[in-house]
């Protein structure tokens, strides 16, 4: 698909195909998706398909809504400034300051700065701190 997908006003969701997708959240409710040539804007929620999906945040990237990883072994990768991941239900929780919540995401990854992973429920995948001084609570 080519062109920019603009959600306009309201609460919008991009639902990806089942091939496995790489979402990059680069601004407020905006970013790129490998199969969407022009990227997306004014999209508050992202949903993966049955393939393995990755949701990567840049420093400026935020979503006012949520991420649903869909089926498979999905991953959220935080930004390079340090992240506070909180798992408060099975494969679900929040990434503080980045989105209102996530569901069906099995793997969490930090980046260069200090990351905190607060685990209050089951996460079936892995936690990767990457660089920095990372903490699991």
């Amino acid at each position: 698909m080519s062109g920019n997908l603009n959600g306009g006003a309201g609460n919008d969701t991009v639902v990806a195909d089942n091939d496995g997708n790489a979402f990059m959240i680069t601004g407020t409710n905006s970013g790129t998706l490998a199969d969407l040539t022009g990227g997306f804007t004014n999209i508050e929620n992202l949903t993966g398909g049955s393939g393995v999906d990755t949701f990567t945040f840049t420093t400026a990237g935020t979503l006012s809504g949520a991420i649903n990883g869909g089926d498979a072994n999905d991953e959220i990768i935080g930004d390079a400034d340090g992240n506070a991941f909180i798992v408060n239900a099975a494969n679900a929780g929040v990434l503080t300051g980045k989105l209102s919540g996530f569901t069906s995401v099995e793997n969490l990854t930090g980046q260069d700065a200090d990351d905190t992973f607060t685990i209050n429920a089951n996460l079936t995948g892995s936690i990767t701190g990457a660089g920095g001084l990372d903490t699991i609570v």
Side-chain angles (χ1 to χ4, degrees), residues 60-106:
T62 62
L63 293 174
S64 59
I67 288 174
N68 179 335
D71 299 331
N73 195 24
D74 306 303
E75 178 180 24
I76 292 178
I77 302 172
D79 67 23
D81 284 352
N83 302 276
F85 294 92
I86 302 169
V87 177
N88 52 23
N91 296 325
V94 296
L95 175 52
T96 305
K98 290 294 180 181
L99 72 157
S100 65
F102 63 85
T103 57
S104 299
V105 174
E106 295 78 14

Side-chain angles (χ1 to χ4, degrees), residues 22-75:
F23 293 88
M24 177 77 70
I25 300 90
T26 58
T28 302
N29 297 325
S30 64
T32 61
L33 174 59
D35 292 340
L36 182 62
T37 305
F40 60 88
T41 56
N42 297 311
I43 302 292
E44 294 79 11
N45 305 284
L46 301 174
T47 299
S50 61
V52 175
D53 301 300
T54 303
F55 304 87
T56 303
F57 285 87
T58 66
T59 301
T62 62
L63 293 174
S64 59
I67 288 174
N68 179 335
D71 299 331
N73 195 24
D74 306 303
E75 178 180 24

Side-chain angles (χ1 to χ4, degrees), residues 8 13 31 54 62 84 87 114 116 129 135 137:
T13 302
T54 303
T62 62
V87 177
D114 301 346
T116 302
T135 305
V137 179

